Amino acid sequence: MNKEAAFQAWAGSFGIPAYAATAVPDDATEPYLTYTLATGMWGDGEQACDLSIWYRTTSEAKPNAKAREIGEALGIGGTCLPCDEGLVWVKRGQPFSQPVDSGDNAVKRRYINLSVEFLTTY
């Protein structure tokens, strides 16, 4: 599995569909997660990436709980995702999670900053 697929698999492991931010299907319904992934390789340092959690709800409880779940999965030191080229090290960015106005009062969005380091040969 290449590094992009490893990240996609990790993003999709939280019980809701995960899509690249540029590839959300027209028929997607909330809840779902979108992500942007800037890639690199060994020596490039940390890359700023993000996730957005989307819920159709009037309550803050579900999006807050999902952001907390992702934070707990990362823990203090992050998580390493094995891939064909090496490892993808996903860590908490700063600020970690923040609400964002979705433009629709019935849709709640959480924007999550990640710091991703590619310990890969390519």
Side-chain angles (χ1 to χ4, degrees):
M1 172 181 324
N2 66 31
K3 57 190 168 189
E4 295 86 1
F7 186 88
Q8 162 66 38
W10 176 78
S13 71
F14 295 103
I16 59 175
Y19 308 106
T22 58
V24 179
D26 291 337
D27 61 349
T29 58
E30 297 86 359
Y32 61 83
L33 179 150
T34 59
Y35 64 87
T36 59
L37 178 64
T39 61
M41 63 178 282
W42 189 275
D44 287 347
E46 297 180 351
Q47 308 297 315
C49 300
D50 65 78
L51 302 175
S52 285
I53 304 167
W54 304 83
Y55 271 88
R56 181 164 295 280
T57 180
T58 56
S59 169
E60 301 290 333
K62 288 183 179 181
N64 285 342
K66 190 58 69 176
R68 191 174 313 109
E69 177 185 349
I70 293 168
E72 289 171 356
L74 291 171
I76 295 173
T79 189
C80 288
L81 313 175
C83 65
D84 294 338
E85 303 93 352
L87 292 172
V88 178
W89 188 7
V90 183
K91 301 171 264 187
R92 298 167 70 98
Q94 295 298 319
F96 175 65
S97 176
Q98 56 192 333
V100 175
D101 184 358
S102 69
D104 180 343
N105 287 338
V107 175
K108 305 298 183 224
R109 178 181 175 202
R110 291 296 173 277
Y111 184 84
I112 295 177
N113 287 298
L114 300 173
S115 178
V116 180
E117 194 165 349
F118 294 90
L119 307 175
T120 60
T121 57
Y122 170 78

